[in-house]
Amino acid sequence: MNNDEQFMRIALELAAQAQTADEVPVGALVVKAGEIIGRGFNAPISRRDPSAHAEILALRDAAQHTGNYRLVDCELFVTLEPCAMCAGAIMHARIARVVYGASDLKTGACGGVLDLFAQARLNHHTTISGGTLATECGLMLSQFFALRRAQHASV
């Protein structure tokens, strides 16, 4: 197993924590020089905060850890392709590389719906690598939403 897969498995553990809290199961972590410096999982419902996506929380945690909002030379691992809000935060944090699991064909901003990172006019360019443990990441999400649909159908 390579490092990307090892870190994505940790992100999946974080996604499971979100699911336990009845949040959409997405987990993220920030890594610098092989060390995890930030962790987060989706929590917009419990925090009553629309910006409380896994990526944002992991970036905030890493910024606190480093004492700097710029996370130069860091990588972000996330189980689902980042949305436009998260892509913007990733750019502003100067993340060097994003590794994501499942593609998001509804709100993905790394190629799923649009690709903000491909915009040459922007001043920071992050390397994107999608599809790491995509099956496992996608399965966690699809099972979560199938259960949600079944619960709502029985009400």
Side-chain angles (χ1 to χ4, degrees):
M1 182 181 331
N2 66 35
N3 283 344
D4 286 0
E5 290 176 354
Q6 289 175 344
F7 288 126
M8 191 61 73
R9 292 209 182 280
I10 296 167
L12 278 164
E13 291 171 11
L14 291 164
Q17 290 180 44
Q19 185 168 347
T20 298
D22 205 27
E23 300 273 3
V24 175
V26 178
L29 50 101
V30 177
V31 174
K32 183 169 186 161
E35 177 191 349
I36 298 170
I37 62 168
R39 298 170 192 259
F41 57 83
N42 266 8
I45 297 166
S46 60
R47 290 183 180 221
R48 295 175 184 87
D49 177 358
S51 70
H53 287 197
E55 300 95 321
I56 302 291
L57 297 179
L59 291 171
R60 288 176 182 163
D61 190 33
Q64 291 299 309
H65 177 86
T66 63
N68 193 337
Y69 76 101
R70 293 279 168 96
L71 301 171
V72 178
D73 298 325
C74 292
E75 299 173 295
L76 181 122
F77 292 81
V78 59
T79 58
L80 181 64
E81 178 184 352
C83 69
M85 175 184 68
C86 292
I90 289 163
M91 285 181 211
H92 285 287
R94 303 297 193 260
I95 293 290
R97 180 172 175 248
V98 171
V99 178
Y100 70 85
S103 294
D104 186 344
L105 302 178
K106 292 184 178 181
T107 64
C110 303
V113 174
L114 59 127
D115 191 348
L116 290 177
F117 295 100
Q119 299 301 312
R121 293 185 295 167
L122 295 174
N123 67 332
H124 177 73
H125 299 281
T126 300
T127 302
I128 305 297
S129 177
T132 301
L133 301 182
T135 301
E136 292 93 328
C137 294
L139 187 60
M140 180 178 276
L141 287 158
S142 61
Q143 288 176 339
F144 174 82
F145 286 114
L147 181 60
R148 273 256 173 105
R149 285 189 296 276
Q151 288 170 342
H152 286 107
S154 65
V155 176

